Amino acid sequence: MSRRTIVAMPGDGIGKTVLDETIRVLDAAGFEADYVEGDIGWEFWCNEGNPLPQRTLDLIEKHKIGLFGAITSKPKDEAFNELKPELQEKGLVYSSPIVGLRQHFGLDICLRPCRTYKGNPLNFIRRGQGDVIEEPEVDVAIFRQNTEGLYGGVEWSDPPEHVYDALMTHPKFSKNFGWSPKEDISVSTRIFSKKFTERILRAAFEHAKKYGYKSVTVCEKPNVIRETSGMMYKMAQQIQKADYPNIELWNTNIDAQMMWLTKNPENYGVIVAGNMFGDIVSDGFAGLIGGLGFACSAQYNPETGIGVFEPTHGSAPKYADYPVSIVNPIAMMESACMMLDFIDEQEIAKKIRKAIAEVVEEGKVRTYDMAKMPGRADVVDNGAASTEEMTDAIITKL
Ligand code: NAI
Ligand code: MG
């Protein structure tokens, strides 16, 4: 097997720490790779006026595989104020580099698995019959369409005349919004294309088939959002009937799903949704298996083979300043395992997952979140493991 080159994009805050620690684990597990650093994040916005420089895009284009930590984003006014004075005249507008990455490379498939680790004190529990405490095992794979829908960026406040006129031709718009002055109207669109809807659906069914899940659930709201959600569900029915007759197709509404996931999370297998509902439902399930310290993700383009792997959490700036890092690196390490699966290094991924599972189950080494402490700088003095100690424990198991 030839040596891989991975574009390592630490980003900001704790992104840097968890990525460094993850590379230690990858090395210890015997993954042979060179890492080139990709610049991304707040520092590059402030100094260059671009949080996602072209040189980083070039690196990803060349090497195809990226490991990403986390970035800091701030509101419009703060973004402007922190820009270098000589750049402030240039009319630059900040936009999230991670959304930029997804759009630039068309990373339309986002996979967020949520799997219970045995012995994780953060696992969801519920009261069963006769008041027994049950700890249902969660094993879901959420496929989120990553480039379209409500996060597609097609939106206006005080829309241009021609857009407004076009909207006024829709009877519901003229009836329900026609009374408002145009300048007081904001519009965010939710556009689904057949091509990318089919791609996310097929990715979900393929995953179910490959890993033996019995059902695929479309989690949208087709009874109300008839066109987009309706299209996704209808296409799912066609795909299931034609190509995956042995996999059950279920249909849930996002609102009801958020209620059911604390009632019977063990019933679900693969879940597929548009961009925003996928974002919501994946955070919901992540809460059942340990929250941000455990929530990992892959995003990729099946045509180009470009993939970027990242934890769901952000840069947690407050924690980045602690003298000893306290955050849980497992979400980043799990994301790296997804990268390994993607590039056909499943054996190494398996080894790392096993080592993590052993440390979690043993319960001797727990970061502050697992120890249920408030995230203060003194948690390590009070018995929680530091980020580094957690990594060391995992490496020892390897
Ligand atoms: P966050 O995810 O950075 O932190 C929220 C809280 O979650 C933290 O205060 C901490 O209590 C906990 N947490 C996060 N990661 C953890 C870990 N690995 N181990 C243990 N606990 C952990 O979200 P927040 O505070 O809303 O945003 C901070 C910055 O990150 C913002 O600038 C935001 O825009 C950005 N962000 C970036 C994301 C990305 O890079 N993909 C995603 C979410 C937020
Ligand atoms: Mg989210």
Side-chain angles (χ1 to χ4, degrees):
M1 178 108 328
S2 65
R3 213 178 156 81
R4 278 276 180 175
T5 301
I6 306 294
V7 183
M9 293 171 279
D12 302 303
I14 65 164
K16 298 180 204 270
T17 320
V18 293
L19 184 52
D20 278 351
E21 296 299 294
T22 296
I23 291 174
R24 280 213 290 138
V25 167
L26 286 167
D27 287 344
F31 177 52
E32 295 196 2
D34 298 311
Y35 298 89
V36 289
E37 184 153 332
D39 296 336
I40 190 168
W42 199 247
E43 183 189 334
F44 303 96
W45 162 253
C46 298
N47 295 324
E48 301 176 25
N50 184 1
L52 180 58
Q54 183 60 43
R55 58 183 181 278
T56 305
L57 297 174
D58 293 342
L59 278 176
I60 297 171
E61 183 82 51
K62 182 168 172 202
H63 300 294
K64 305 264 192 270
I65 303 295
L67 267 182
F68 169 67
I71 47 99
T72 296
S73 283
K74 296 185 188 179
K76 226 166 150 182
D77 294 344
E78 274 179 67
F80 178 80
N81 291 333
E82 291 189 31
L83 202 52
K84 246 184 173 174
E86 58 266 39
L87 292 173
Q88 291 189 348
E89 315 291 284
K90 297 206 166 165
L92 301 166
V93 182
Y94 177 83
S95 68
S96 159
I98 184 64
V99 176
L101 259 186
R102 287 171 194 156
Q103 305 278 347
H104 182 86
F105 291 109
L107 306 175
D108 59 301
I109 311 284
C110 174
L111 168 56
R112 293 179 169 181
C114 295
R115 233 177 276 126
T116 302
Y117 274 115
K118 223 172 162 179
N120 185 350
L122 298 171
N123 285 343
F124 170 69
I125 55 172
R126 72 182 167 214
R127 209 178 289 274
Q129 247 183 0
D131 274 357
V132 282
I133 299 297
E134 300 171 341
E135 191 173 316
E137 193 178 328
V138 179
D139 178 4
V140 299
I142 293 139
F143 281 82
R144 164 193 179 193
Q145 206 298 324
N146 214 26
T147 46
E148 300 191 330
L150 258 176
Y151 299 174
V154 184
E155 47 184 3
W156 304 268
S157 285
D158 186 10
E161 211 69 58
H162 58 283
V163 172
Y164 184 78
D165 291 346
L167 287 168
M168 281 297 265
T169 65
H170 195 295
K172 290 246 166 77
F173 186 88
S174 52
K175 178 163 176 267
N176 296 330
F177 302 99
W179 56 268
S180 169
K182 180 174 88 67
E183 58 273 22
D184 293 347
I185 294 278
S186 290
V187 183
S188 299
T189 63
R190 186 178 201 262
I191 305 172
F192 283 27
S193 71
K194 265 196 168 159
K195 173 176 173 177
F196 290 109
T197 302
E198 176 164 357
R199 247 161 69 160
I200 194 72
L201 289 168
R202 286 201 179 274
F205 277 107
E206 231 6 76
H207 191 86
K209 188 174 156 188
K210 187 169 169 190
Y211 294 100
Y213 289 96
K214 74 170 198 288
S215 65
V216 168
T217 302
V218 175
C219 177
E220 279 281 321
K221 185 111 182 166
N223 51 338
V224 177
I225 316 175
R226 294 175 180 278
E227 302 307 325
T228 44
S229 294
M231 177 173 91
M232 181 176 263
Y233 184 55
K234 203 166 142 202
M235 289 178 76
Q237 287 175 303
Q238 289 161 350
I239 291 169
Q240 188 263 352
K241 200 167 161 215
D243 299 326
Y244 302 92
N246 298 326
I247 295 169
E248 289 173 34
L249 172 62
W250 299 354
N251 175 24
T252 59
N253 288 335
I254 175 68
D255 47 346
Q257 179 71 73
M258 295 310 287
M259 177 181 62
W260 287 329
L261 66 80
T262 54
K263 223 172 152 227
N264 54 356
E266 69 271 46
N267 288 6
Y268 297 95
V270 174
I271 293 182
V272 58
N275 208 335
M276 187 189 198
F277 295 162
D279 199 7
I280 293 172
V281 75
S282 59
D283 274 17
F285 272 102
L288 307 178
I289 56 114
L292 288 173
F294 289 85
C296 56
S297 80
Q299 30 193 0
Y300 58 90
N301 178 327
E303 260 171 84
T304 60
I306 291 178
V308 175
F309 303 82
E310 57 159 324
T312 306
H313 65 73
S315 61
K318 177 176 84 180
Y319 297 4
D321 296 334
Y322 291 174
V324 174
S325 172
I326 65 164
V327 296
N328 189 344
I330 290 177
M332 180 82 239
M333 291 169 187
E334 279 276 352
S335 306
C337 289
M338 297 184 79
M339 171 193 80
L340 293 169
D341 284 342
F342 189 73
I343 60 176
D344 264 332
E345 295 277 10
Q346 286 91 347
E347 283 311 307
I348 302 177
K350 232 188 202 164
K351 257 178 25 189
I352 296 175
R353 289 193 179 110
K354 184 165 169 273
I356 296 172
E358 284 172 13
V359 172
V360 173
E361 190 169 1
E362 210 169 71
K364 284 197 281 207
V365 180
R366 288 177 170 170
T367 44
Y368 84 94
D369 51 330
M370 299 170 77
K372 306 196 184 225
M373 295 177 176
R376 290 195 309 251
D378 62 1
V379 293
V380 177
D381 297 332
N382 294 324
S386 67
T387 310
E388 204 182 328
E389 285 165 345
M390 175 55 91
T391 310
D392 289 341
I394 292 166
I395 290 175
T396 303
K397 293 293 179 196
L398 281 171

